[in-house]
Amino acid sequence: MRRLVATGDSHVGKVRKGNEDALLLRDSVYAVADGMGGHLAGEVASATALEPVEQLDGRIFQDDTTAVTALRDAVVAANERVSRLAQENPDYRGMGTTLTAALVEGRRLHVAHVGDSRAYLLRDGQFSQLTDDHTLVQHLVDEGQITREEAAHHPQRSVVTRAIGVSEDVDVDSMSLELVPGDQLLLCSDGLTGVVEDEAIARTLLETEDPDAAVATLIELANAAGGPDNITVLLLRYEDPDADQGPSGRTIAISSRVESDDRNWAGEMGRYASLTRGGPLTPEQQDEEGRSAGAILGRASAIVIAIAVIGGLMFGGTQFLLSRSFFVGVDGNQVVVFEGVNRDIGPIELYRVAERSEVALDDVQQWYRPQLQAGRPAADLGDARALIRNLPLRATEDDDEDEEADEEDAQDGLDDGADPDPDA
Ligand code: MG
């Protein structure tokens, strides 16, 4: 009798004060979410995102299509819940989370995924990353701008290009495949993969007979490497007790994702280019990498825009979202509000124009212009508008215009007052 053994654990790590990761482990659904946001918002985001996935537990589906559609819908529902909470509650503004979810029905495995948590499959000594990282560095790797080695140590490796809860819409990756006895499926947050090499993870899974011990060892490895982030590990083993599949010293091959099309993965396990860490690619691999880069080109512009709007950035070990960060700057000769973070990564801008004002740079007093050109940070969009309203402008000849501006200020003040402070 074949059976699925599932176990998992989450650890705060050695640096963070709280654990913003969340873990779902039920009979037929499993998920890892890695929340981002200030105060307790990250924890709220990750816990909330798991709720719609949990509702699928125990459900029977007619076929693969209905199962994977239900799982995708649950991820979309998670996005709606988290983004609504973020909009409704000022404390949760800007929060978001990754979500990597698995649904198992008999031998069929379905995975839906957004963000930089990961799903891996270990089969016959082949350790394959099933999910794409929705990160800036993965984008740069796909574009051929940096190598995988460079990506692993890139200072902006935590910038995520897709997350749950930061926008009303979300693109969901999904895949389905058929499990074979001996398969091990690993879902994990970047607190593990950011500091522990794939090979060490695979070896632990292969050499540790007890699944609880394997999970504990992976968390220990991440903490031994500094534990800079919350660590969440969820392990599924598809076992056939009648067959002989004890742990062995088999060699391990590491595979990474090079293609990102939404499709059925069954029977395609052999098509990954193998990742030779630190070594040169074979001509076939280069060809494969080249084709995959071409295949995602259509998505590239969308991704770059997404980077400007959505994302998390690592500053001193703290991850937070780029979206809903604002600053006032200059576009051409126009004073504008930018959304995002006031910096570029290589050729990629991490911001976009959110709102244009009617103020020209020439209207602003000369001494203040360099500050605008450098970009003035704002707490939120309202703060950015106030900053523009209060810009030191050059004296105008028409006093009536000034009066009109004052009236507008008074009106804006009333508008701001419509959002009452609950503590007042
Ligand atoms: Mg994390």
Side-chain angles (χ1 to χ4, degrees):
M1 184 68 187
R2 285 165 184 165
R3 58 177 187 161
L4 188 71
V5 178
T7 182
D9 199 5
S10 188
H11 192 273
V12 67
K14 300 199 122 175
V15 174
R16 301 288 180 88
K17 286 203 178 75
N19 192 344
E20 297 184 316
D21 284 2
L23 167 81
L24 175 71
L25 206 162
R26 292 291 179 265
D27 289 337
S28 66
V29 285
Y30 313 90
V32 167
D34 178 352
M36 296 157 262
H39 308 295
L40 293 171
E43 286 159 53
V44 171
S46 58
T48 304
L50 297 183
E51 291 168 4
V53 180
E54 186 170 17
Q55 285 168 1
L56 298 179
D57 189 38
R59 270 181 57 182
I60 310 288
F61 298 93
Q62 245 176 352
D63 50 34
D64 265 8
T65 312
T66 37
V68 81
T69 302
L71 189 60
R72 290 178 63 95
D73 288 348
V75 176
V76 171
N79 185 62
E80 283 164 3
R81 276 191 206 196
V82 177
S83 57
R84 197 182 316 126
L85 267 184
Q87 278 165 17
E88 286 170 357
N89 189 332
D91 288 343
Y92 297 156
R93 202 163 287 161
M95 73 177 176
T97 182
T98 71
L99 180 57
T100 302
L103 169 70
V104 182
E105 233 198 342
R107 299 183 60 160
R108 302 296 293 171
L109 165 73
H110 311 282
V111 176
H113 162 72
V114 173
D116 69 347
S117 298
R118 289 178 179 177
Y120 287 94
L121 183 69
L122 179 61
R123 172 181 294 176
D124 291 334
Q126 181 87 10
F127 189 57
S128 309
Q129 187 182 331
L130 298 179
T131 48
D132 285 323
D133 293 346
H134 299 140
T135 56
L136 174 64
V137 290
Q138 184 59 47
H139 175 67
L140 296 177
V141 169
D142 292 341
E143 294 277 282
Q145 294 188 33
I146 60 171
T147 66
R148 288 184 196 285
E149 275 287 295
E150 288 165 340
H153 306 286
H154 198 283
Q156 270 82 38
R157 62 188 176 277
S158 290
V159 177
V160 296
T161 51
R162 268 198 250 171
I164 296 287
V166 296
S167 155
E168 281 175 22
D169 300 311
V170 67
D171 273 344
V172 184
D173 288 355
S174 62
M175 67 205 69
S176 302
L177 61 87
E178 187 148 314
L179 294 169
V180 300
D183 275 356
Q184 300 194 50
L185 180 81
L186 176 75
L187 306 184
C188 58
S189 64
D190 67 336
L192 176 70
T193 53
V195 290
V196 184
E197 296 286 324
D198 282 1
E199 170 133 18
I201 297 172
R203 194 160 292 286
T204 301
L205 295 181
L206 205 56
E207 293 175 353
T208 315
E209 194 157 0
D210 177 50
D212 290 329
V215 167
T217 303
L218 291 177
I219 289 173
E220 275 167 29
L221 287 175
N223 277 325
D229 195 2
N230 306 143
I231 310 142
T232 301
V233 177
L234 203 159
L235 177 61
L236 302 181
R237 281 180 171 170
Y238 189 64
E239 295 181 342
D240 185 351
D242 299 332
D244 173 29
Q245 359 154 330
S248 69
R250 284 176 295 185
T251 54
I252 297 171
I254 310 290
S255 298
S256 65
R257 289 282 291 115
V258 295
E259 288 180 297
S260 46
D261 293 340
D262 194 347
R263 63 199 153 80
N264 193 315
W265 282 61
E268 297 192 9
M269 295 304 298
R271 280 184 49 188
Y272 305 139
S274 64
L275 171 63
T276 326
R277 286 193 177 273
L281 293 174
T282 66
E284 293 78 31
Q285 286 168 344
Q286 283 172 4
D287 186 32
E288 183 80 6
E289 301 246 306
R291 264 187 284 132
S292 75
I296 68 140
L297 268 183
R299 287 173 33 193
S301 58
I303 288 173
V304 173
I305 292 164
I307 287 166
V309 183
I310 301 166
L313 199 55
M314 188 75 101
F315 280 129
T318 308
Q319 196 176 33
F320 65 94
L321 292 168
L322 292 182
S323 70
R324 286 142 202 175
S325 295
F326 295 91
F327 63 97
V328 175
V330 181
D331 186 40
N333 186 42
Q334 192 177 24
V335 177
V336 300
V337 180
F338 288 106
E339 184 176 22
V341 165
N342 187 8
R343 56 151 66 185
D344 298 342
I345 296 174
I348 294 174
E349 296 172 341
L350 292 178
Y351 50 83
R352 67 177 183 105
V353 175
E355 205 169 272
R356 294 182 177 275
S357 79
E358 295 185 349
V359 181
L361 185 62
D362 296 342
D363 298 336
V364 178
Q365 288 192 23
Q366 192 131 24
W367 61 268
Y368 195 81
R369 288 180 203 168
Q371 294 192 45
L372 269 187
Q373 283 159 330
R376 295 272 304 171
D380 52 34
L381 189 57
D383 187 34
R385 287 172 180 159
L387 209 150
I388 291 177
R389 278 201 303 276
N390 297 319
L391 281 175
L393 299 181
R394 291 197 302 167
T396 54
E397 287 128 58
D398 191 344
D399 284 340
D400 290 347
E401 260 184 28
D402 279 350
E403 273 173 33
E404 268 173 39
D406 286 342
E407 274 172 24
E408 267 175 39
D409 279 356
Q411 188 60 44
D412 283 333
L414 286 177
D415 287 342
D416 293 344
D419 188 8
D421 183 352
D423 298 332

